């Protein structure tokens, strides 16, 4: 089954809504100039909540093919949860995607696998595709336990998720030691865990479902490293942090096929 690559930019806590619209505009123009075919490689950005309405307005008005989503979602539907943003609110803003269980949420907001599973469910309940983030820290990598650790996170995040939803999930393998450090995993490191994630999906569901799910790599991805990563059979795209803030660099990452020639 052919999986459409997904290149998603996680802007984290950067850019106000004016900067966000400017950046999306620039990205869209760069990709338009490059005749980027969005049917071949999907491109999405995940700005702050405060930018979503402006991004929606721009994308709708200019009929841009760039997709967008949020960096987090509440596990709750509504009620007394100060500061949280519900899936229904994100759906109203046209979000296609939402990142769930990013390591920064797990670390700074104590998100457990149970919380990640609830948020995954909340996304699907509202027709939003969750990008479920998993990945080991440095101590676990040094002990050689990256596969078992990451697969346990996959099991936790997908607990109770029926196949008709799991077929649409996106999983991002982001080793914590590679996030924001400039230390990108080798293509072989990325393939080892991304391949194991697909294998686990086949065990949890079936081989056909596993074959259709997109597994991304994330952690210090740049235009200079994306082509080699994408050449791996089980890497179906990237979740890009720092490099996605620069539209020229991010557009180059999205156009990885142009520089895959000569690999
Ligand atoms: P980075 O972040 O590309 O800046 O390492 C990746 C991520 O956290 O999604």
């Amino acid at each position: 089954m052919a999986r459409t690559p997904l290149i998603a930019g996680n802007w984290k806590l950067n850019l106000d809504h004016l900067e966000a619209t400017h950046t999306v505009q620039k990205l869209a123009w760069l990709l338009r100039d490059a005749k980027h075919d969005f049917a071949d490689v999907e491109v999405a950005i995940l700005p702050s909540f405060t930018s979503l309405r402006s991004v929606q307005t721009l994308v709708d008005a200019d009929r841009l093919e760039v997709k967008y989503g949020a960096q987090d979602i509440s596990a709750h539907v509504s009620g007394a949860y100060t500061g949280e943003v519900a899936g229904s609110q994100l759906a109203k803003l046209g979000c296609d995607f939402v990142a769930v269980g990013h390591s920064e949420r797990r670390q700074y907001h104590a998100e457990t696998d149970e919380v990640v599973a609830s948020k995954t469910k909340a996304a699907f309940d509202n027709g939003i595709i969750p990008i479920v983030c998993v990945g080991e820290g440095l101590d676990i990598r040094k002990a050689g336990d990256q596969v078992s650790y990451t697969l346990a996170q996959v099991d936790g995040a997908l607990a109770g998720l029926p196949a008709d939803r799991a077929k649409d999930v996106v999983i991002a393998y982001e080793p914590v030691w590679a996030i924001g450090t400039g230390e990108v995993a080798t293509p072989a490191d990325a393939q080892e865990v991304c391949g194991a994630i697909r294998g686990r999906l086949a065990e949890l569901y079936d081989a056909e479902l596993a074959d259709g799910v997109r597994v991304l790599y994330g952690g210090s991805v740049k235009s200079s490293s994306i082509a080699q990563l994408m050449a791996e059979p089980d890497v179906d795209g990237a979740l890009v942090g720092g490099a996605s803030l620069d539209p020229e660099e991010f557009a180059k990452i999205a156009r990885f096929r142009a520089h895959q020639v000569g690999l």
Side-chain angles (χ1 to χ4, degrees):
M1 185 188 293
R3 298 181 291 271
T4 304
L6 170 63
I7 303 293
N10 172 13
W11 287 356
K12 307 192 180 183
L13 207 177
N14 295 290
L15 309 185
D16 62 32
H17 70 288
L18 298 174
E19 294 164 332
T21 45
H22 188 72
T23 306
V24 171
Q25 243 159 356
K26 210 164 163 194
L27 175 67
W29 278 111
L30 286 164
L31 291 173
R32 191 168 298 178
D33 276 359
K35 299 192 173 31
H36 180 85
D37 188 346
F38 289 88
D40 279 353
V41 179
E42 260 188 287
V43 180
I45 51 117
L46 311 178
S48 297
F49 288 133
T50 51
S51 300
L52 286 171
R53 175 63 177 145
S54 306
V55 169
Q56 177 188 34
T57 304
L58 170 66
V59 165
D60 285 355
D62 289 2
R63 296 204 174 90
L64 303 182
E65 292 185 84
V66 173
K67 299 195 168 169
Y68 59 90
Q71 299 168 18
D72 187 30
I73 180 172
S74 179
H76 304 287
V77 174
S78 64
Y81 301 101
T82 302
E84 299 214 13
V85 176
S88 58
Q89 295 171 320
L90 297 178
K92 215 47 174 194
L93 291 173
C95 288
D96 301 291
F97 296 102
V98 63
V100 170
H102 189 281
S103 63
E104 289 150 16
R105 302 287 318 170
R106 294 179 190 259
Q107 186 180 348
Y108 306 133
H109 300 273
E111 289 193 7
T112 60
D113 286 338
E114 291 70 39
V115 170
V116 176
S118 304
K119 292 187 170 189
T120 300
K121 180 178 181 302
F124 277 118
D125 284 348
N126 290 285
I128 301 169
I129 301 294
I131 301 176
V132 176
C133 304
V134 293
E136 83 287 352
L138 190 57
D139 48 340
I140 290 160
R141 158 79 41 180
K142 279 187 173 154
D145 294 334
Q146 62 273 12
V147 170
S148 57
Y149 180 90
T150 303
L151 294 187
Q153 286 184 323
V154 171
D155 291 348
L158 304 189
L161 192 69
D164 63 344
R165 289 184 163 192
K167 70 177 176 36
D168 294 322
V169 77
V170 175
I171 298 185
Y173 168 56
E174 299 205 299
V176 179
W177 49 270
I179 294 178
T181 58
E183 197 176 324
V184 63
T186 65
D189 287 342
Q191 170 58 29
E192 179 195 33
V193 185
C194 291
I197 290 170
R198 196 175 313 285
R200 178 58 63 114
L201 288 168
E203 283 164 22
L204 292 173
Y205 299 94
D206 60 55
E208 194 187 334
L209 183 146
D211 204 32
V213 168
R214 291 181 291 187
V215 181
L216 315 184
Y217 166 78
S220 297
V221 171
K222 297 198 173 52
S223 62
S224 54
S225 53
I226 186 68
Q228 285 87 345
L229 288 161
M230 291 303 292
E232 295 295 338
D234 287 303
V235 178
D236 305 316
L239 185 54
V240 185
S244 69
L245 294 166
D246 173 354
E248 299 211 351
E249 174 67 2
F250 190 52
K252 271 195 212 161
I253 294 172
R255 298 185 57 245
F256 65 89
R257 287 213 174 100
H259 37 116
Q260 245 174 0
V261 181
L263 258 183

